[in-house]
Amino acid sequence: SFACQSSEVLEQAESKADLIGGTVAGLLSLVGVVADPLRSPEHIVLSQILEKAWSEGEDLSLETLISRLVDPPFKKVGVFPLDTFYPSDKRMELAMRLNSVLASSSFALWAQGEPISPADLCTPKDGTVPVSIFYLAHLSDQERMFFVALLLEKLLAYTRTLSGTTALRSLLYFDEVAGYIPPTA
């Protein structure tokens, strides 16, 4: 789900840009596209699709996102016409790659379960501290990167909506971080 984020997140330009950028980078990595957020037409057009939907309070699914990639809800990117900036045949090529993921039987499980909600993950229930464990060993490298990018971007956006405190609210522990963050020693 690419559900519309809370107004607190969307009102903060940096939080919104980070969340959209991280979400799009994760999605593109899922289909093997390495994209520069400032130069890549794939990244820029997908980012504009998410930004437009969220600014209108609209939730998107992967299916809707693919449809909007084929026929975006805007005609210009910057000063150039959409088809000059990112031609329709190139958009269709990316849409087909994303559709292959959506149609894959191994990806069908991604559509099940609870949506990622940082507030639900971090809020004590019945006086108990919640513990959430995400086991990713069964996923491919691209799927792991996609999930981790989405999770961390949503957690960061959520923390930016909270007021300051002197008490610990939650703790994120990332085991076996090699492959995500370069080792320092």
Side-chain angles (χ1 to χ4, degrees):
S1 168
F2 301 100
C4 184
Q5 302 302 301
S6 69
S7 59
E8 293 91 7
V9 171
L10 296 178
E11 288 170 0
Q12 298 177 19
E14 183 180 358
S15 294
K16 181 171 77 170
D18 286 348
L19 184 60
I20 289 172
T23 301
V24 170
L27 182 60
L28 289 172
S29 73
L30 186 61
V31 293
V33 175
V34 179
D36 181 343
L38 298 176
R39 294 189 180 106
S40 165
E42 299 93 344
H43 199 288
I44 293 168
V45 169
L46 282 172
S47 295
Q48 286 192 0
I49 291 169
L50 273 180
E51 185 169 4
K52 181 160 180 44
W54 289 352
S55 69
E56 295 171 357
E58 184 181 3
D59 295 338
L60 294 179
S61 64
L62 183 54
E63 185 176 308
T64 309
L65 190 63
I66 293 169
S67 296
R68 298 245 173 110
L69 179 59
V70 173
D71 186 21
F74 45 87
K75 299 299 175 204
K76 289 178 76 175
V77 178
V79 297
F80 290 105
L82 173 65
D83 285 333
T84 301
F85 183 79
Y86 192 28
S88 62
D89 60 328
K90 296 289 186 185
R91 292 195 315 268
M92 181 57 82
E93 183 180 316
L94 179 58
M96 292 297 282
R97 291 173 86 170
L98 290 167
N99 188 64
S100 294
V101 169
L102 183 64
S104 165
S105 60
S106 64
F107 194 77
L109 294 174
W110 286 75
Q112 299 175 5
E114 295 294 318
I116 297 172
S117 168
D120 291 344
L121 294 173
C122 299
T123 304
K125 294 169 185 59
D126 301 323
T128 61
V129 177
V131 175
S132 301
I133 298 172
F134 299 97
Y135 181 76
L136 309 177
H138 62 290
L139 301 176
S140 69
D141 285 343
Q142 291 90 353
E143 290 171 332
R144 279 196 293 266
M145 288 292 196
F146 175 61
F147 177 79
V148 169
L150 286 180
L151 177 65
L152 294 180
E153 289 297 339
K154 286 186 179 209
L155 282 170
L156 178 60
Y158 170 71
T159 60
R160 288 180 171 166
T161 65
L162 302 173
S163 60
T165 181
T166 58
L168 179 66
R169 286 192 176 137
S170 62
L171 177 68
L172 172 68
Y173 177 80
F174 197 147
D175 192 22
E176 298 183 23
V177 74
Y180 297 93
I181 300 174
T184 58

